[in-house]
Amino acid sequence: MKKLLYLSFSLLLFFSACQKADTDLTLEANKEMSKGPAGKVTICHSAGDGKVIVIQVNQNALAAHLAHGDIVPDSDGDGYTAVGACTGSKDDCNDNDAAINPGAEEVCGDGIDNNCNGIVDENCGPDFVIFNIRNNNTIPIANRISAPWDSDIVLSENAAGDGFSFGTPNRYGGQKVGYGTKFFDGLKLNTIKSVNWNWNVIAGNGGIVPYLNIWVTDGAGNYAVISSENNYRGTDFGTRAEWKIFEYGTSTSNFNWLFDSGTGARDNAQYLTLNGSRITLSQLSDRIVIGDPGVYPSPNVGTGAPRGGFGFNLIWGDTMANFAQKSGQIGGLTVTASGVVHTAQN
């Protein structure tokens, strides 16, 4: 009689444990979890002494197994098993979401590693935005950097979002437009390796190319625009020594904040130098990151400074001699940073 009572009590405990099983995992497991016999589910079963074996259990026994620490290796049913599972691919970094697995496409901008390769939003292109900077230089200064903009300025983005059309046809010069992005804000400037694009339309530009204006800061109140006005396409920014500095705030002589050591300066041709030699981007301190200051103090910040709120900018327009009555269109814009090629897109 005592044996029967003991057996009845043990069965009651067993079924109580089964009822406490994780309902959510059971529901997930009810998807097609295995290729075994109908009604069977593949699980990783603890066999004792730290050993885990692959077994198949009936659906009605699954809850008890889960309650005792066994797991379903592919709980979301996407065909990939969880990292550390006892069987299958063992590479699903989120086995609770069927949209996340090594075979998934990366979704740009969601902040999730959709394809489980350890990189969030890789090869997701920066979204550049067109913006006006300055009207022609014959109107009062107060109206040069605000709407209404000169009606003859050419400024539009390509449908693919990989470049823009631009033109500063006014015979007076001074007109200026930009194409910028916040995508790289916070990135170390010395990790930018190259910028490339193709000419889609060239109309009387006289060999002039859209130049780079990159707002940088050290996070301690210093800021500047690092600029390339020469043709930078196809060059390695880590070895290219043609970088000018503009819009550098109150300091007109101290540029040491851009470097970890040595003497920074600006030579007579406006190039940034370190210990008397023109710098490459690789020489800048890791403290120097891309980022628009958000406000534009008056000392040493002119009307031509990028004012779109974007840290990384391509600029067209400026003096009458270089840009007046010239226009063009670029496409296929890419920026390479830390070994990743970022393609501009909408």
Side-chain angles (χ1 to χ4, degrees):
M1 182 66 177
K2 289 182 178 179
K3 290 183 177 180
L4 288 174
L5 289 173
Y6 180 79
L7 178 59
S8 299
F9 183 69
S10 298
L11 288 172
L12 178 62
L13 289 178
F14 176 77
F15 286 116
S16 296
C18 290
Q19 291 172 354
K20 293 178 181 178
D22 191 323
T23 303
D24 290 338
L25 286 177
T26 303
L27 291 174
E28 289 291 347
N30 283 334
K31 299 175 182 178
E32 177 111 25
M33 293 300 165
S34 75
K35 297 181 180 179
K40 296 284 188 177
V41 178
T42 299
I43 66 170
C44 296
H45 173 70
S46 177
D49 298 327
K51 295 181 180 179
V52 177
I53 61 175
V54 181
I55 65 173
Q56 290 185 329
V57 300
N58 292 323
Q59 288 281 0
N60 57 8
L62 176 63
H65 280 275
L66 296 177
H68 297 147
D70 293 347
I71 66 168
V72 177
D74 183 15
S75 63
D76 58 14
D78 61 4
Y80 297 85
T81 61
V83 174
C86 63
T87 187
S89 63
K90 305 179 184 181
D91 54 4
D92 192 338
C93 58
N94 186 343
D95 203 39
N96 294 313
D97 189 333
I100 300 175
N101 59 65
E105 291 187 7
E106 194 72 5
V107 178
C108 293
D110 66 352
I112 297 173
D113 178 16
N114 306 95
N115 59 12
C116 293
N117 69 349
I119 305 174
V120 175
D121 291 349
E122 84 275 9
N123 295 323
C124 290
D127 182 12
F128 279 78
V129 177
I130 55 175
F131 61 96
N132 287 280
I133 299 174
R134 188 170 61 193
N135 284 310
N136 76 72
N137 58 13
T138 65
I139 62 177
I141 292 178
N143 296 327
R144 291 183 195 173
I145 57 175
S146 60
W149 300 101
D150 291 343
S151 61
D152 58 350
I153 287 179
V154 177
L155 181 60
S156 63
E157 185 175 19
N158 300 346
D162 64 346
F164 71 129
S165 296
F166 44 83
T168 47
N170 196 294
R171 65 185 178 86
Y172 298 110
Q175 295 172 318
K176 205 169 187 180
V177 297
Y179 193 50
T181 183
K182 297 180 180 179
F183 183 89
F184 301 104
D185 286 14
L187 188 71
K188 297 174 184 177
L189 182 59
N190 59 21
T191 65
I192 300 291
K193 295 301 181 183
S194 65
V195 175
N196 287 285
W197 41 261
N198 304 312
W199 279 116
N200 290 350
V201 176
I202 304 175
N205 59 41
I208 305 298
V209 302
Y211 53 92
L212 293 177
N213 267 189
I214 308 173
W215 278 109
V216 299
T217 181
D218 62 353
N222 294 304
Y223 62 87
V225 167
I226 303 299
S227 176
S228 176
E229 295 183 336
N230 303 324
N231 194 345
Y232 46 83
R233 291 186 299 157
T235 63
D236 181 356
F237 291 179
T239 58
R240 184 176 182 277
E242 294 180 345
W243 299 97
K244 295 186 177 183
I245 183 167
F246 301 101
E247 326 298 349
Y248 38 82
T250 57
S251 176
T252 59
S253 58
N254 179 16
F255 297 96
N256 294 342
W257 61 272
L258 290 153
F259 308 98
D260 289 324
S261 61
T263 301
R266 187 177 189 246
D267 67 19
N268 292 333
Q270 304 173 317
Y271 286 95
L272 179 62
T273 65
L274 177 62
N275 298 328
S277 298
R278 293 177 179 176
I279 64 105
T280 66
L281 290 194
S282 61
Q283 292 176 282
L284 296 174
S285 171
D286 284 347
R287 294 177 290 102
I288 306 306
V289 299
I290 299 171
D292 185 281
V295 294
Y296 307 96
S298 57
N300 298 310
V301 177
T303 61
R307 295 168 186 268
F310 311 106
F312 195 94
N313 306 273
L314 273 71
I315 306 297
W316 178 265
D318 204 343
T319 62
M320 182 168 61
N322 290 337
F323 291 96
Q325 299 179 321
K326 296 180 177 68
S327 61
Q329 182 190 85
I330 65 169
L333 173 60
T334 63
V335 179
T336 301
S338 300
V340 178
V341 179
H342 302 275
T343 302
Q345 60 189 34
N346 284 321

